[in-house]
Amino acid sequence: MRRSGARALIVVALLLAGGLFISGGLAAAEEQPSAAQMMDDLMYGRGPVGGPFTLTDTTGKPRSDSEFRGKLMIVYFGYTYCPDVCPADLMAITQALDALGPLAEGVQPVFITVDPERDTKLLGEYISAFHHSLVGLTGSPEEIRKVANAYKAFYIKVPDAQGGDYSIDHTGVIYLMGRDGEYLGFMPPQTSPERLTEILRKYLGK
Ligand code: NI
């Protein structure tokens, strides 16, 4: 009786350890703070924003943030199926860069998909509809989650009511990074191209 009781305890302990191990692994891959927490930290400037990353561009080439040193870097998280916010913000970025003329060479816009499963071949086509200098980046879900967390960018899949389709709720801010990769700040969704141009000019020193 005692023996089998002890054995049962060991089995339970092993099951628990295994369960914890598995859920710990899942948590590491999927974990993200709440949308409110991330937005709050971003708004009040709590903790670092950005940092080194290596993702894959639309030609399959690995690209790192360090390549863009010496330029201002615009970072935007979105996805090609996004019905309105992403295209509007990408259009604003495009118009701002066009307004800068040759000065736009000092700015590197980067679009990071938060929907790597669907944004495969389509991603290149999609971003080429906007500014020619836009670099579209993708990666494994874990890689993208890591970069998004570093930028305090929230995103979550929202299944459609009918069918197996989904959309993605995501932070739609435009991040601006400096020439040394330092975080300069963010611009809210639907910032006008004029305002964007003004801010970029300021940081370009022109
Ligand atoms: Ni969007």
Side-chain angles (χ1 to χ4, degrees):
M1 197 70 183
R2 280 189 71 92
R3 262 183 88 101
S4 67
R7 197 177 300 150
L9 266 180
I10 289 167
V11 169
V12 168
L14 284 173
L15 282 174
L16 274 176
L20 285 175
F21 179 74
I22 289 163
S23 65
L26 280 178
E30 302 286 337
E31 199 180 314
Q32 81 175 323
S34 73
Q37 181 69 55
M38 282 179 134
M39 189 42 84
D40 197 52
D41 287 348
L42 191 62
M43 297 264 289
Y44 293 99
R46 278 195 283 268
V49 176
F53 63 76
T54 301
L55 292 169
T56 308
D57 74 12
T58 51
T59 68
K61 226 177 99 190
R63 306 294 292 268
S64 298
D65 62 297
S66 55
E67 292 173 42
F68 309 127
R69 293 292 184 274
K71 291 184 177 195
L72 301 179
M73 184 169 69
I74 289 173
V75 179
Y76 193 84
F77 292 88
Y79 69 114
T80 68
Y81 287 79
C82 183
D84 39 30
V85 181
C86 289
D89 284 338
L90 285 175
M91 189 47 79
I93 292 168
T94 301
Q95 288 171 348
L97 292 173
D98 284 344
L100 284 175
L103 286 178
E105 281 168 33
V107 185
Q108 178 60 60
V110 172
F111 179 86
I112 300 175
T113 180
V114 292
D115 190 10
E117 288 155 50
R118 287 188 302 192
D119 284 347
T120 51
K121 288 210 174 81
L122 208 61
L123 183 60
E125 242 171 81
Y126 180 79
I127 57 159
S128 67
F130 299 96
H131 200 264
H132 63 87
S133 69
L134 252 173
V135 168
L137 296 178
T138 187
S140 71
E142 292 77 18
E143 288 171 328
I144 290 170
R145 177 66 74 200
K146 212 176 128 207
V147 179
N149 280 349
Y151 275 85
K152 305 192 197 304
F154 180 88
Y155 63 97
I156 192 161
K157 260 187 200 177
V158 182
D160 284 351
Q162 66 272 45
D165 242 2
Y166 61 89
S167 59
I168 296 182
D169 270 357
H170 67 97
T171 303
V173 306
I174 300 168
Y175 297 91
L176 187 59
M177 312 302 283
R179 293 188 176 96
D180 297 319
E182 75 281 18
Y183 172 62
L184 297 176
F186 73 90
M187 289 153 277
Q190 288 164 50
T191 297
S192 72
E194 294 74 23
R195 178 63 54 80
L196 210 45
T197 307
E198 206 182 312
I199 292 166
L200 290 170
R201 268 185 201 286
K202 181 187 139 193
Y203 284 106
L204 285 165
K206 311 283 160 126

